[in-house]
Amino acid sequence: MASRSEVLQIIIDTLDVVLTQLQDDATPSRRAENFSKEEFWTCLIPETQSLVNSLESSCIALLSAFHALPKSQGLTLHKDLRLCVLNILKAVQDLCVEAKNESGHQLQSVGNVWEKCNNLQSAPKDNKTSVLTVFKDQVTMVQDALDEFQESMEQEDSLYPDLAHIPIRNGFQIPDQTGWSEEDLQLLPTFLGLLKASKACIKKTKSIIATQGQCDREQDNNQLDSLASIVQTLSSHVDDFVLSTYPPVIHNNVRQQATILAEGLKELINTANSSHLCEGDHSWTEFLLGAINHNYQKVIELL
């Protein structure tokens, strides 16, 4: 099967020949007595219309090709490709609207169509690749939250402005404490430990998927989809936990968010433990479950 680049090159070469004929006026002329003005315009207009019809047919063919992908190949892959096809068709629709309205933005719309087509060209080719992309995004977001928390620990003295000098207004005064208390500062390394355990769980599971993950059987794809579904919730759990640790620290809130995060992490590892990723080797899941429990219990005990 010819690649997209090869197909485009064939079209470019064909149009080059056609354009050369028109530019050089090399088109063979026909005898005047055979010419019919009505037939000429009737023919020319339908041929122009066929260019538009071919675009419509291509859109329908693209949609039909996508529908040939069974969901047994993986819901994560199906979702990624559905979004790619949706973006292409929406870009074509926008181009048609711009052309119809003669807005002058057609060139930009054409570029948008090519961009969306290129995205499909580089889209994941199987469910394993799609799931790894999900995990990669989650690792990045959790790392961002971890970096932000560590930076806040290092700069807690300047993170919040000194509001103690603000005078009393309407009977109220801003409390002197604008950052972490001495008691809260003792908790921060423990909070950091749970965050690092979170990153380790997601990163290690991603690594195991890369080396042990399979996507040829529906059962394997279902297991990968379950892991992707769980891990997509973890970055928001991490964010909620981090937010709960900022002053004023309310211990019940921190305890609640730590519990939600720990339960989410354990669900991820337990799901991986019962999947094809751990056939014959459960040591890594046992280690991570131990790390989660250890860091979670330290948070609860200190609180």
Side-chain angles (χ1 to χ4, degrees):
M1 182 178 65
S3 67
R4 179 175 60 87
S5 177
E6 291 171 336
V7 171
L8 290 174
Q9 189 60 52
I10 292 173
I11 298 175
I12 291 171
D13 293 341
T14 301
L15 289 175
D16 188 51
V17 173
V18 173
L19 291 171
T20 300
Q21 291 181 353
L22 287 173
Q23 291 167 349
D24 297 341
D25 196 18
T27 305
S29 60
R30 298 185 179 181
R31 296 176 62 86
E33 59 267 22
N34 295 329
F35 177 75
S36 169
K37 184 184 296 184
E38 291 75 14
E39 290 181 4
F40 168 76
W41 283 108
T42 299
C43 180
L44 187 63
I45 293 175
E47 290 301 328
T48 304
Q49 180 65 38
S50 69
L51 291 174
V52 179
N53 292 342
S54 65
L55 178 60
E56 180 185 16
S57 298
S58 297
C59 290
I60 295 174
L62 176 62
L63 182 61
S64 298
F66 164 71
H67 284 313
L69 176 70
K71 291 187 176 181
S72 60
Q73 289 295 306
L75 295 180
T76 310
L77 174 66
H78 195 274
K79 179 181 178 181
D80 285 346
L81 295 186
R82 179 175 62 84
L83 184 60
C84 284
V85 172
L86 179 65
N87 287 337
I88 290 174
L89 297 180
K90 183 64 171 64
V92 173
Q93 183 186 51
D94 292 342
L95 172 60
C96 293
V97 170
E98 297 291 348
K100 176 185 176 183
N101 296 336
E102 298 182 355
S103 64
H105 300 298
Q106 292 93 328
L107 184 60
Q108 180 179 351
S109 296
V110 170
N112 190 38
V113 171
W114 284 120
E115 178 186 350
K116 303 309 180 186
C117 290
N118 286 335
N119 290 342
L120 180 60
Q121 186 77 6
S122 58
K125 299 302 186 290
D126 55 50
N127 201 47
K128 175 181 173 179
T129 307
S130 285
V131 170
L132 284 172
T133 300
V134 173
F135 270 80
K136 179 182 178 182
D137 292 342
Q138 292 297 309
V139 169
T140 299
M141 287 187 279
V142 170
Q143 182 65 58
D144 288 343
L146 180 59
D147 292 341
E148 178 185 331
F149 185 78
Q150 289 180 299
E151 182 179 348
S152 298
M153 288 178 61
E154 296 168 359
Q155 301 177 354
E156 82 277 359
D157 291 335
S158 59
L159 183 61
Y160 298 95
D162 183 8
L163 303 178
H165 66 281
I166 298 179
I168 295 177
R169 296 175 184 267
N170 299 322
F172 297 96
Q173 184 174 15
I174 301 295
D176 289 346
Q177 178 185 330
T178 57
W180 280 297
S181 67
E182 288 299 323
E183 180 185 19
D184 293 337
L185 288 173
Q186 303 304 314
L187 297 172
L188 299 187
T190 306
F191 297 160
L192 182 62
L194 183 57
L195 290 174
K196 288 184 175 180
S198 302
K199 177 191 171 185
C201 287
I202 300 173
K203 191 173 181 179
K204 180 62 176 180
T205 306
K206 172 180 174 290
S207 175
I208 295 296
I209 292 174
T211 57
Q212 305 296 328
Q214 302 293 327
C215 56
D216 294 327
R217 301 183 302 170
E218 182 175 1
Q219 176 183 351
D220 295 338
N221 280 317
N222 290 340
Q223 293 170 352
L224 292 178
D225 287 333
S226 295
L227 292 169
S229 178
I230 295 170
V231 79
Q232 284 178 307
T233 67
L234 292 181
S235 62
S236 62
H237 293 338
V238 167
D239 287 340
D240 291 341
F241 174 68
V242 169
L243 287 175
S244 72
T245 65
Y246 285 131
V249 178
I250 301 175
H251 288 196
N252 283 338
N253 290 348
V254 178
R255 185 181 296 107
Q256 179 183 12
Q257 296 304 327
T259 300
I260 292 173
L261 175 56
E263 291 300 320
L265 292 170
K266 286 189 282 188
E267 182 183 10
L268 176 69
I269 302 305
N270 284 326
T271 301
N273 191 54
S274 60
S275 73
H276 67 279
L277 299 178
C278 291
E279 294 177 353
D281 181 15
H282 299 271
S283 59
W284 69 275
T285 56
E286 294 172 355
F287 173 80
L288 290 177
L289 286 172
I292 296 168
N293 287 324
H294 171 73
N295 286 279
Y296 171 68
Q297 288 301 325
K298 285 184 64 177
V299 171
I300 298 303
E301 290 170 4
L302 287 178
L303 288 173

